[in-house]
Amino acid sequence: MELHDVWFVLIAVLWTGYFFLEGFDFGVGVLTKLLARNRPEKRVLINTIGPVWDGNEVWLLSAGGATFAAFPEWYATLFSGFYLPLLVILVCLIVRGVAFEYRAKRPEEKWQRNWEAAIFWCSLLPAFLWGVAFGNIVHGVKIDKDLEYVGGLGDLLHPYALLGGLVTLTLFTFHGAVFTALKTVGDIRERARRLALRVGLVTAVVALAFLLWTQADTGNGRSLVALVVAVAALVAALAANQLGREGWSFALSGVTIVAAVAMLFLSLFPNVMPSTLDPSWSLTVTNASSSPYTLKIMTWCAGIATPIVLLYQGWTYWVFRKRIGTQHIAEAAH
């Protein structure tokens, strides 16, 4: 296997890790409107992801940095062509982070309500737009012979991409509901399980439609295996949720995300951004990659740094592993 193939796989792993981890905290952000009935319950939801949300975003930085270094042509075409939706995602991530920190700085009702609205919308929009972006990457966009994107914003909003956005939004919300059931106690835990069932059923419908469409359009034997795993894991996650096995349900919803993202990358390879104007103008792992020497240096750096990051992040989740409920919220927060 060539180094550019290795780095395609590593970038796929980074995006998969990002969607697995950031997926549930996007989902929890959406649930602050859909599940929480009062301010203490919103505080509980925010506290379930409070110690980990910023660490989850490290995976996005790593995926973007790895793409920039390993596949500069891919990075340049992607970020220039998808400039507006990626800018919206970036602004949402910034505002969302500020909202987590500033929401409790003042006691006024309006102040906290506005920051809570920011958490909701700045979780919902990225969850949807990431699906739209990856739907376009897999489907293909207007790339000319100079390997530059020549389409407009409207070209990115076709049915396949919009369906991809609905899949990531519903799947992340389901993932977040299962995570909430895993991390909370009392009434909010039971309501999270019931909501997870309803959202999960919707997710199953839209995800099956999107994955079958992907398989029919660009799929192969390997992507078909990933499709089957994704569907089976989602069904099993729903069953585990109904049995009250939140740990298994969360793990299986994570497997669903991993398998679905793997299917997209398996369908994409060896392209990284197909051209809808002429297949010969597509960006591939070969024509979009850096020099072998650059990839070699990156491989050594990644081999040293990645285990350290994984150990630290795993330790963080272990430290904050216990369940919480409204009884753990200080009286001042009420």
Side-chain angles (χ1 to χ4, degrees):
M1 181 182 287
E2 299 290 337
L3 279 178
H4 51 65
D5 297 330
V6 171
W7 274 97
F8 179 86
V9 173
L10 291 176
I11 288 171
V13 170
L14 290 170
W15 280 112
T16 302
Y18 174 67
F19 287 142
F20 180 97
L21 296 172
E22 188 87 306
F24 71 73
D25 68 47
F26 280 149
V28 171
V30 173
L31 293 178
T32 57
K33 282 281 188 184
L34 302 184
L35 181 64
R37 291 176 173 173
N38 50 46
R39 182 138 291 117
E41 289 191 352
K42 291 183 179 181
R43 181 70 178 272
V44 168
L45 291 177
I46 294 171
N47 284 1
T48 62
I49 59 173
V52 298
W53 67 267
D54 49 353
N56 294 343
E57 292 185 357
V58 170
W59 290 78
L60 173 61
L61 298 176
S62 300
T67 304
F68 171 77
F71 298 99
E73 288 285 355
W74 184 12
Y75 182 92
T77 303
L78 176 65
F79 278 78
S80 60
F82 295 11
Y83 180 81
L84 185 57
L86 292 178
L87 177 63
V88 172
I89 290 173
L90 176 61
V91 171
C92 284
L93 293 180
I94 293 172
V95 173
R96 184 169 172 267
V98 173
F100 285 138
E101 300 298 329
Y102 274 64
R103 173 190 168 277
K105 295 298 184 184
R106 290 168 55 179
E108 290 88 347
E109 171 75 17
K110 184 177 180 181
W111 172 271
Q112 295 195 2
R113 187 173 62 248
N114 288 341
W115 285 119
E116 288 163 0
I119 291 172
F120 171 74
W121 287 109
C122 291
S123 299
L124 184 148
L125 286 174
F128 176 75
L129 289 175
W130 279 127
V132 174
F134 271 81
N136 278 286
I137 291 173
V138 175
H139 178 268
V141 291
K142 293 181 177 180
I143 298 175
D144 65 10
K145 59 184 177 59
D146 297 320
L147 305 182
E148 295 180 358
Y149 178 71
V150 293
L153 178 62
D155 296 311
L156 303 178
L157 303 177
H158 48 85
Y160 177 80
L162 295 175
L163 180 60
L166 287 177
V167 170
T168 50
L169 176 58
T170 55
L171 182 55
F172 290 169
T173 304
F174 171 68
H175 197 40
V178 172
F179 178 78
T180 300
L182 177 65
K183 288 289 291 179
T184 57
V185 294
D187 180 59
I188 193 170
R189 175 188 176 188
E190 297 302 319
R191 284 188 282 115
R193 285 176 51 201
R194 293 195 295 269
L195 182 60
L197 174 63
R198 296 196 296 271
V199 176
L201 292 173
V202 175
T203 302
V205 174
V206 295
L208 182 61
F210 178 75
L211 295 178
L212 288 175
W213 191 345
T214 303
Q215 181 65 28
D217 192 25
T218 59
N220 50 54
R222 292 168 300 180
S223 65
L224 180 60
V225 173
L227 186 156
V228 173
V229 172
V231 173
L234 181 56
V235 173
L238 286 167
N241 177 71
Q242 285 301 97
L243 295 173
R245 304 297 298 272
E246 291 102 343
W248 279 104
S249 185
F250 177 71
L252 288 164
S253 68
V255 171
T256 303
I257 293 174
V258 170
V261 177
M263 180 190 176
L264 296 182
F265 278 95
L266 288 169
S267 300
L268 187 61
F269 185 82
N271 293 322
V272 293
M273 283 191 77
S275 172
T276 57
L277 300 178
D278 187 331
S280 65
W281 297 343
S282 298
L283 291 171
T284 68
V285 293
T286 304
N287 66 16
S289 68
S290 294
S291 68
Y293 182 74
T294 300
L295 297 177
K296 184 177 180 179
I297 296 298
M298 290 176 61
T299 304
W300 278 104
C301 293
I304 296 171
T306 302
I308 298 172
V309 173
L310 291 176
L311 287 171
Y312 175 76
Q313 192 162 24
W315 175 77
T316 302
Y317 276 92
W318 175 255
V319 170
F320 295 100
R321 66 189 182 278
K322 293 184 178 180
R323 296 177 183 266
I324 62 173
T326 52
Q327 67 269 29
H328 299 117
I329 304 300
E331 284 300 317
H334 289 258

